[in-house]
Amino acid sequence: MTAPDPKGPLDGHLDDDDYPAYTMGRAAEMLGTTQGFLRAIGEARLITPLRSAGGHRRYSRYQLRIAARARELVDQGTPIEAACRIIILEDQLEEAQRLNAEYRRAAEDTSRPAAS
């Protein structure tokens, strides 16, 4: 028995969180929301789905996780624009903290005396 050819429709992208594998309809179904919700968070620039050759929106797993977080906030009563802004700010804070930790490690490494 031979192994299946890895060059198929997904071309080895099964583990790629950024691969735009989901149509708008499927994404909305997976999130338990409407296509209008996905359009709204796209208009708020929370996520920018890629477009297929035919112009259809395609979403990645990473984008679906962000959309799920937005849906949680909206379900708790947060207006959609505010929910998108909160998520963007949370992401910026996480990135700033990551960079700050890197700078601290680099500063600590340069302030240590060299071992003889």
Side-chain angles (χ1 to χ4, degrees):
M1 180 178 212
T2 61
D5 182 9
K7 300 283 186 200
L10 293 178
D11 195 24
H13 294 287
L14 287 176
D15 294 329
D16 185 352
D17 268 359
D18 295 318
Y19 184 73
Y22 303 98
T23 63
M24 178 181 269
R26 181 67 179 130
E29 179 183 316
M30 290 170 68
L31 294 170
T33 191
T34 64
Q35 293 181 13
F37 175 80
L38 291 173
R39 281 188 210 94
I41 63 175
E43 288 170 9
R45 295 196 172 126
L46 179 61
I47 58 175
T48 304
L50 292 175
R51 298 284 183 149
S52 68
H56 300 283
R57 291 174 179 90
R58 305 286 292 192
Y59 297 87
S60 69
R61 286 187 297 205
Y62 175 74
Q63 290 172 324
L64 294 183
R65 284 195 299 275
I66 293 171
R69 173 71 176 126
R71 178 160 186 245
E72 287 174 13
L73 291 171
V74 169
D75 287 349
Q76 293 170 4
T78 307
I80 196 161
E81 297 82 12
C84 291
R85 186 69 182 139
I86 288 167
I87 294 167
I88 289 167
L89 289 170
E90 287 174 341
D91 187 53
Q92 289 173 345
L93 175 60
E94 184 180 318
E95 178 67 9
Q97 289 173 331
R98 184 189 65 75
L99 287 171
N100 199 10
E102 283 181 22
Y103 292 145
R104 279 194 192 117
R105 279 192 298 275
E108 289 171 4
D109 290 345
T110 59
S111 65
R112 288 188 186 131
S116 305

